Amino acid sequence: MLSCKVIFYLLFLSISISFCDSCTETDGNLECNSIDDLVQYSASGEIHSVTVKTIVRPSGVFNCDKPFFEKFKNVEYLTIANSGVFLISKDCFRGMIDLIAVDFNSNVIPNINLEVFETSTKIKRIKLNDNHIFNLDFGTISLTQLKHLEAKNNQIRDVSLKSDKFPELTSLDFSANQITHFVVKSQSLTHLNLNFNQIENFTSEDLITPNLEFLYMAGNKLKAIFPEMMKHVKKLSYFGLEANSIQSFSLEDTQVKDLIDLRNNKISKLEEVKIVFNSNFTDYEIYFHNNKISRLTGIPQIWGVRSLFCEDCSIDFIEPFLFANAFNQTKYLLMKRNNLDTANIFQSDGTDLQFKYIDLSSNKISKIGSTDFRNLKHIQTIWIHDNKITKVEPGAFDGLTQLNQLVLAYNFIYRLPIDLFTSLTSLNTLSVHANNLAYFQLTDDVFMNLHILEIYNNPLQCKCLEMIRTYTKAHGIGLVYDKFSKVKKGTQPDCVIIDICDPEAGEEFVKDLWQLFNDKRFTHDNMN
């Protein structure tokens, strides 16, 4: 009989052998549990892909200072992640002449020279993310087929790239490093990601990328952008500058074609943002979210903007005729969560504004006047929910024949004028839920195209609610209402039990009932 020590030893030996023999080969794909197993593995067939799947990073480090992978000369894809790789020398990839993509993410590499790939002339993608790299040297080697290089989340402080060595490079990602200075000269580059670094400034000679389309520079320390800085950038579609310290921004219209993202900066006046027009191009978006602009005054020189988004900008005043003078081609306006107390901001000299979508939700608007929206003949969507609206004047939506979505929810409205919606022949969705409505009128000649009616959380009279339910069912309208069941003690009721449907029911009828339907949505102070 074997002793316990012998059994334990044999068990240990079997586990060790199993671990050392962790590599499996299937259809030209080789997978190993450790880099040591990979180095010791003798390939039995033609292998095109090698992957080391290390679940727990080893306590030691691996130095690739010898041609360990020369036996894998036909390998095209090499992935050695989370394996404690520390050193990569020129000998590491010697003989790997068919290598197309290499992934060394999540190792402990402190520095690397791209000359290590000098024999891998077919390489197209290199991933070096989540290492400890403080120096990435492009060297003097020419990698003529390299298209994508990633080295994000490292400790790189300086980047210097010249395109003549990498004529096919289209994507470069150095986000989440410690870069303070960069020089990128590339005729082929289309995507450059420098997000979350320490960049305070750059010059036109630092960025010579005439074919660059996407430039990401969020989370840096930039204070201003001027046309001269972008002198050699002519085809930019997206310029991401959110979460910097930008106070002033100016570009020529030919330098950006689609979207400028200036969220979370320090812009206090819209006059500090300027797009200089040298062409007829008029179709781009600007995001100003979370700046502290407060007042929109003067004549901002950003004509031609397609979409203007200023959410959480603390805006409490918009100069009369501002949109007519500076944004008369703008189609999308988002100004939610500001401090506006009026919707009368679309004044015009008689020319219809081009807005198709406006979002004024979560402001402090108390009334919708009869002329507030009269210049919005092209409007398709109005979101004005979560305000303090107590009154909607007759004719407020007259002439808005293209409007298909109207959201008035979460306000203090207790009565809507008769024929308020007569002009809305295209209306598809109407949301008036969470108000103080006791009565709501539905007529055939008004809601001919209505598909969805949201009217829950209102103190509707039960007879009125029955009429609404009958009408919507007969006309195929989707009625969104929370409850149609018997009321239990302590639960919100469906409606106010009364024998009639009184169209004149208003403040006096609602004042003792609102709290059952819409907590904190009705007080006498709100009505004044």
Side-chain angles (χ1 to χ4, degrees):
M1 181 175 289
L2 295 175
S3 67
C4 291
K5 288 184 178 180
V6 173
I7 293 173
F8 179 80
Y9 174 75
L10 290 174
L11 181 61
F12 174 79
L13 184 61
S14 66
I15 293 173
S16 299
I17 293 172
S18 174
F19 181 78
C20 291
D21 192 24
S22 68
C23 298
T24 58
E25 186 178 334
T26 307
D27 298 328
N29 300 312
L30 177 63
E31 292 187 3
C32 299
N33 288 341
S34 76
I35 195 169
D36 292 328
D37 288 3
L38 176 62
V39 170
Q40 297 174 22
Y41 185 79
S42 296
S44 58
E46 192 170 283
I47 298 174
H48 297 284
S49 173
V50 171
T51 301
V52 175
K53 291 186 174 180
T54 304
I55 299 175
V56 180
R57 178 183 289 181
S59 57
V61 297
F62 177 82
N63 292 325
C64 190
D65 54 0
K66 298 177 182 179
F68 291 115
F69 309 123
E70 196 168 20
K71 56 190 173 184
F72 301 117
K73 62 180 181 179
N74 297 121
V75 165
E76 297 176 338
Y77 304 95
L78 177 64
T79 299
I80 302 178
N82 197 38
S83 298
V85 177
F86 180 79
L87 174 67
I88 299 178
S89 74
K90 289 185 177 181
D91 292 324
C92 185
F93 303 106
R94 184 182 298 174
M96 300 189 76
I97 57 175
D98 289 333
L99 195 60
I100 293 176
V102 60
D103 180 345
F104 271 74
N105 289 346
S106 303
N107 283 288
V108 291
I109 303 167
N111 60 76
I112 188 170
N113 189 316
L114 293 189
E115 292 182 0
V116 301
F117 300 104
E118 63 182 357
T119 61
S120 304
T121 57
K122 297 180 182 179
I123 198 161
K124 295 182 179 180
R125 181 183 291 273
I126 300 172
K127 291 186 177 182
L128 298 166
N129 305 320
D130 301 298
N131 277 276
H132 300 164
I133 300 172
F134 62 86
N135 180 36
L136 193 154
D137 191 345
F138 289 92
T140 59
I141 188 175
S142 294
L143 297 178
T144 58
Q145 295 191 43
L146 183 64
K147 292 183 178 293
H148 308 282
L149 174 61
E150 298 179 18
K152 57 188 177 184
N153 198 25
N154 281 283
Q155 300 173 26
I156 299 169
R157 295 181 179 275
D158 189 276
V159 173
S160 181
L161 168 69
K162 296 183 179 180
S163 66
D164 56 345
K165 304 295 182 182
F166 308 92
E168 296 296 319
L169 187 64
T170 59
S171 176
L172 190 62
D173 190 344
F174 281 103
S175 58
N177 277 276
Q178 299 177 20
I179 297 170
T180 57
H181 177 255
F182 68 92
V183 176
V184 177
K185 300 179 180 181
S186 172
Q187 296 293 320
S188 59
L189 200 67
T190 59
H191 291 69
L192 176 59
N193 193 335
L194 295 170
N195 282 348
F196 304 108
N197 279 284
Q198 304 293 319
I199 300 167
E200 295 184 8
N201 195 13
F202 63 93
T203 70
S204 60
E205 297 307 306
D206 295 331
L207 189 61
I208 302 178
T209 52
N211 291 297
L212 192 65
E213 297 178 15
F214 296 87
L215 177 56
Y216 304 88
M217 298 191 74
N220 280 280
K221 297 182 178 180
L222 294 164
K223 295 182 179 179
I225 296 291
F226 301 108
E228 179 61 26
M229 300 166 70
M230 307 288 287
K231 179 179 178 181
H232 303 294
V233 180
K234 298 296 183 182
K235 295 184 178 181
L236 206 60
S237 292
Y238 173 83
F239 196 2
L241 290 162
E242 60 269 37
N244 277 275
S245 298
I246 293 174
Q247 299 176 7
S248 178
F249 179 91
S250 179
L251 280 185
E252 296 183 3
D253 64 320
T254 55
Q255 293 176 318
V256 62
K257 302 296 184 184
D258 193 14
L259 175 59
I260 302 168
D261 194 338
L262 291 167
R263 290 176 294 174
N264 294 289
N265 276 281
K266 295 185 178 180
I267 296 170
S268 59
K269 296 181 180 179
L270 214 57
E271 296 97 310
E272 298 298 326
V273 179
K274 183 178 180 182
I275 308 296
V276 181
F277 275 83
N278 297 319
S279 72
N280 294 322
F281 179 77
T282 58
D283 197 23
Y284 61 96
E285 299 181 357
I286 302 183
Y287 291 172
F288 287 110
H289 305 330
N290 291 294
N291 283 277
K292 301 302 178 185
I293 295 175
S294 182
R295 298 171 65 84
L296 297 186
T297 59
I299 305 296
Q301 297 188 46
I302 51 177
W303 295 288
V305 60
R306 177 179 72 243
S307 303
L308 178 64
F309 296 158
C310 202
E311 179 180 325
D312 292 300
C313 287
S314 302
I315 296 172
D316 56 23
F317 176 78
I318 297 178
E319 185 173 299
F321 296 93
L322 176 77
F323 292 119
N325 292 332
F327 300 98
N328 52 25
Q329 297 299 313
T330 303
K331 294 179 174 62
Y332 302 92
L333 177 67
L334 189 152
M335 288 196 168
K336 64 190 300 185
R337 289 198 295 273
N338 281 285
N339 297 316
L340 294 170
D341 60 6
T342 179
N344 186 25
I345 58 177
F346 300 105
Q347 303 92 341
S348 176
D349 57 3
T351 303
D352 291 337
L353 300 176
Q354 299 300 310
F355 289 113
K356 292 184 176 181
Y357 169 98
I358 61 172
D359 185 347
L360 298 176
S361 61
S362 300
N363 277 276
K364 298 178 180 179
I365 298 168
S366 59
K367 181 183 73 170
I368 299 179
S370 60
T371 61
D372 289 353
F373 299 139
R374 69 178 178 182
N375 296 314
L376 304 179
K377 302 301 183 183
H378 305 281
I379 197 70
Q380 296 176 4
T381 300
I382 296 176
W383 286 17
I384 196 166
H385 58 85
D386 287 282
N387 275 276
K388 297 183 177 181
I389 299 169
T390 61
K391 183 177 182 181
V392 180
E393 291 186 349
F397 305 119
D398 282 2
L400 307 187
T401 57
Q402 297 185 40
L403 187 67
N404 59 53
Q405 184 179 40
L406 176 60
V407 181
L408 294 165
Y410 293 99
N411 280 290
F412 302 95
I413 303 167
Y414 69 95
R415 182 180 296 168
L416 293 171
I418 297 175
D419 300 330
L420 178 66
F421 305 109
T422 302
S423 294
L424 306 185
T425 53
S426 300
L427 193 64
N428 177 282
T429 302
L430 176 61
S431 301
V432 291
H433 56 279
N435 276 282
N436 295 310
L437 295 171
Y439 173 80
F440 186 80
Q441 182 182 22
L442 287 164
T443 56
D444 292 347
D445 58 335
V446 176
F447 296 107
M448 60 186 70
N449 292 310
L450 193 65
H451 289 171
I452 299 174
L453 174 62
E454 296 182 305
I455 198 169
Y456 54 89
N457 284 15
N458 278 291
L460 289 164
Q461 303 164 81
C462 288
K463 288 290 184 180
C464 297
L465 180 55
E466 288 177 11
M467 294 170 61
I468 293 171
R469 293 177 64 186
T470 301
Y471 180 93
T472 54
K473 185 177 181 180
H475 290 78
I477 298 173
L479 179 62
V480 181
Y481 202 95
D482 275 358
K483 305 178 186 70
F484 289 120
S485 59
K486 293 183 179 179
V487 178
K488 296 180 181 179
K489 184 178 181 180
T491 63
Q492 185 184 70
D494 284 341
C495 54
V496 180
I497 299 174
I498 190 171
D499 292 334
I500 62 172
C501 176
D502 181 6
E504 299 299 320
E507 178 182 357
E508 289 302 314
F509 176 83
V510 172
K511 67 180 182 180
D512 295 325
L513 301 165
W514 63 269
Q515 72 277 7
L516 297 176
F517 297 85
N518 211 355
D519 192 21
K520 299 181 180 178
R521 303 300 301 180
F522 179 103
T523 66
H524 283 288
D525 291 338
N526 297 139
M527 308 310 294
N528 298 324

